[in-house]
Amino acid sequence: MTYKGLSVTAELHEYLLSRSTPPDEITADLIAETRAVLPGDAVMQVAPEQAAFLRLLTGLIGVRNAVEVGTFTGLSSLSIARGLADGGRLTCFDISEEFTGIARRYWKRAGVDDRVELRIGPAAERLRELPAEPHLDLVFIDADKGGYPSYWNELVPRVRPGGVLLVDNVLWSGEVVDPRDENGRAVAAFNDVARDDDRVELVILPIADGLTMARRR
């Protein structure tokens, strides 16, 4: 198969950001605060172009019921919440009161805190609190990599036909080709699980660290 693509250099990445709709003040402040207050953990924040993609996609497919696994300081949840249809709801699952405390402030500042419910605790357990029937329009998974298969298997049955699941970091800095650490091996194994799941059709998009986009059959 002939490869048709290109490597995204730092200069090209800067170009694509500069030719996309720029982050508004609230988004820019959240990105800046996360990098300043949590410099060692800021890598867990989704990339600015992912945030824009999440908001755009949420609006395009008219999402009313969404779930996020792994909220961190809230950039992805802020983006999804802003894209929700009128009356839409986002349920977030995370284990950190500290990190999500920042998220709560920005949800309130953006006026979307009434659309977001945060549930603290192990997601593999708390996801079972959701209704079992297919009702979700959008799912975004961006948490501990070893937990991906569990989150996937809890959520796929709860996504309506035509609904979308997004999974972050599925290229793991390119190391999925030849995994060298525990997270790389976990991501590579999950990618095989998702590919072989006949409940969905999917594509891996080379956005940031790789984003799986799956549609529920």
Side-chain angles (χ1 to χ4, degrees), residues 71-72 93-102 118-121:
T71 297
F72 190 43
F93 295 85
D94 203 283
I95 58 172
S96 173
E97 292 279 8
E98 176 190 1
F99 294 156
T100 56
I102 297 174
L118 175 63
R119 301 188 187 185
I120 297 293

Side-chain angles (χ1 to χ4, degrees), residues 47 51 55 83 86 112 129 131 144 159 162 164 173 181 197 206 209:
R55 181 173 180 175
D86 290 344
V112 298
E129 300 169 1
D144 60 294
V159 175
V164 174
S173 300
D181 63 18
D197 192 334
D209 196 27

Side-chain angles (χ1 to χ4, degrees), residues 50 167-173 204-212:
Q50 282 180 296
V167 186
D168 199 17
N169 301 118
V170 293
L171 295 181
W172 201 247
S173 300
I204 293 179
L205 304 173
I207 298 175
D209 196 27
L211 183 71
T212 289

